[in-house]
Amino acid sequence: MIEMFNSSIGKKLVMSITGLFLMVFLLVHLTVNMLLLVGDGEVFNRAAHFMGSNPAIKVIEPLLAIGFVFHIIYATYLTIKNQRTRPIGYSRTTSNGLSTWSSKNMFILGTTIFIFLIIHLANFFWKLKFGTVETITYGSDTMPNAYALVAGLFINYWWYDLLYVIGAIFLGLHLSHGFWAAFQTLGWNGTKWLKRLEVVAYVYAIVIGTGFSLIPIYFLLFK
């Protein structure tokens, strides 16, 4: 078993499984965040409170954190190792034989996303978990006013909106290659399947990148 994960295929398999796990999380995260565009914030606050207080989510949350950290560290390790063994470098190609900018710059995209993630966690997750976010009451339910925290940042700091949009675009570019490459590693590497997966990958990347970009643009222009 250890020998398998030390092999080239084993390493790619680890990256693929952790990557797909995080892709599912991104879709769920975007779905909840899009509730910021609905109503006066109650729907989002209730959803955020549920995600933060649900016992199952509390178990999944540290697993996600470990998955993120492991995916990033392992990707860094593999990139450095590949650069040492292949000084000239190489790039992955799509099913039509053409390498894309995303496939040739996955590490750069990943590093940029990681920096954005740290800023994002510091401004939202950390403040909600350990900060002094004001509370709001709906009927008999009292919860952190996550909506006010998010809206306040997006409305008052245009540069953060720009940073958020850039981060979303880079995330989309990263996913446009990582999505189909993960399935290719898992064995869906026939010509017919790869072409289909490339289409799904681009659709998924556009949905994620556009979805996360719309949120700061909405608050910047309409609030």
Side-chain angles (χ1 to χ4, degrees):
M1 182 65 72
I2 295 178
E3 288 76 10
M4 174 187 172
F5 287 103
N6 283 331
S7 67
S8 176
I9 295 297
K11 292 171 183 176
K12 292 178 181 178
L13 184 63
V14 170
M15 288 298 296
S16 298
I17 293 174
T18 56
L20 289 172
F21 179 63
L22 296 177
M23 287 177 203
V24 173
F25 163 74
L26 284 172
L27 199 55
V28 174
H29 188 53
L30 175 60
T31 302
V32 174
N33 281 6
M34 290 301 288
L35 297 177
L36 285 161
L37 312 184
V38 178
D40 59 356
E42 180 178 353
V43 176
F44 175 74
N45 277 336
R46 287 188 178 278
H49 180 62
F50 171 79
M51 297 296 287
S53 59
N54 186 278
I57 300 299
K58 289 185 176 181
V59 173
I60 295 174
E61 191 174 73
L63 294 178
L64 283 170
I66 293 172
F68 264 114
V69 173
F70 183 82
H71 188 80
I72 293 167
I73 293 176
Y74 202 61
T76 303
Y77 162 74
L78 292 180
T79 300
I80 295 174
K81 186 174 181 179
N82 287 336
Q83 288 177 344
R84 288 178 177 176
T85 56
R86 295 180 175 88
I88 298 177
Y90 72 100
S91 63
R92 298 288 297 274
T93 59
T94 59
S95 63
N96 59 15
L98 299 175
S99 63
T100 64
W101 184 87
S102 299
S103 67
K104 292 186 290 185
N105 295 277
M106 288 294 281
F107 181 67
I108 295 175
L109 289 171
T111 302
T112 305
I113 293 168
F114 176 69
I115 294 172
F116 169 75
L117 178 63
I118 296 300
I119 298 173
H120 179 71
L121 290 176
N123 281 292
F124 296 119
F125 178 81
W126 187 266
K127 289 181 179 179
L128 283 170
K129 287 292 183 181
F130 309 107
T132 55
V133 178
E134 64 180 42
T135 59
I136 190 168
T137 300
Y138 301 108
S140 59
D141 301 321
T142 300
M143 61 197 69
N145 194 350
Y147 179 86
L149 173 65
V150 176
L153 189 61
F154 284 144
I155 293 172
N156 297 319
Y157 301 97
W158 66 265
W159 56 266
Y160 189 80
D161 297 333
L162 179 62
L163 178 65
Y164 201 93
V165 171
I166 292 173
I169 292 172
F170 275 41
L171 178 60
L173 289 171
H174 188 79
L175 293 171
S176 68
H177 174 73
F179 184 97
W180 70 264
F183 281 101
Q184 182 185 37
T185 300
L186 294 176
W188 291 22
N189 52 6
T191 303
K192 182 171 67 174
W193 271 111
L194 268 186
K195 289 181 179 179
R196 293 173 179 174
L197 285 172
E198 284 176 20
V199 173
V200 175
Y202 287 129
V203 172
Y204 174 80
I206 290 172
V207 168
I208 294 295
T210 303
F212 279 116
S213 296
L214 283 176
I215 297 169
I217 291 174
Y218 167 78
F219 281 101
L220 182 64
L221 298 180
F222 302 108
K223 290 292 184 176

